[in-house]
Amino acid sequence: IFVSHQMGTPASGYFRLFPLVILTGMIERFWLMEEEEGMRSSFWTLFHTVALAGAITLLISWETLRKQFLEGPEAIGVVLAGQFLLGRYTGYRLTELYRFRSLA
C-alpha cells in the first residue's frame, strides 16, 4: 500500500474485492469437501465456519476489546498463548528444534 501510494496509484480500491476472494476460496473448499466427505460433513463445517465468523464479529464490535487491541498490541500475545494452550497452533514449534537437532 505504501509503495502504491508513493507511485501515485491508490491500492485501497482493490481491498473491496478481498472479501470476495475469500468467499470464493470458501465456496471452492466447500465443494471439494462435499465431494470427498459427503454433504452432511460439508454443511456441518459450513455451519461451524458461519458460527465462528458471527462470534468473531460480535467480539470485534465490542468497543472495549477493540480499543484494547489497538492501544495495547501486546494483548495479541494473550490470543497466541490461548492458541498454544488449546494445542491448535500448527506452526513451527520450539520442541522441533530439539527433536531434529541432529539434522542441523
Side-chain angles (χ1 to χ4, degrees):
I1 294 172
F2 179 74
V3 172
S4 172
H5 179 69
Q6 293 296 328
M7 295 175 61
T9 308
S12 60
Y14 296 110
F15 287 112
R16 287 178 265 165
L17 297 176
F18 191 62
L20 185 61
V21 171
I22 293 173
L23 185 61
T24 303
M26 285 180 60
I27 291 170
E28 181 180 356
R29 177 69 184 137
F30 173 78
W31 288 115
L32 284 173
M33 182 178 273
E34 196 270 331
E35 284 181 12
E36 294 172 356
E37 299 177 21
M39 187 178 295
R40 181 180 177 103
S41 177
S42 61
F43 274 108
W44 190 244
T45 302
L46 180 65
F47 170 75
H48 281 117
T49 302
V50 171
L52 185 62
I56 290 172
T57 301
L58 290 174
L59 282 173
I60 290 174
S61 66
W62 191 20
E63 184 65 31
T64 306
L65 187 66
R66 188 174 349 145
K67 199 180 238 186
Q68 177 64 36
F69 280 107
L70 289 175
E71 293 176 0
E74 65 275 357
I76 296 174
V78 174
V79 175
L80 183 61
Q83 288 180 340
F84 279 125
L85 290 174
L86 286 174
R88 296 294 213 166
Y89 180 73
T90 59
Y92 190 68
R93 294 188 176 99
L94 292 177
T95 56
E96 291 173 358
L97 288 174
Y98 178 75
R99 186 172 151 204
F100 296 110
R101 68 185 178 279
S102 62
L103 293 175

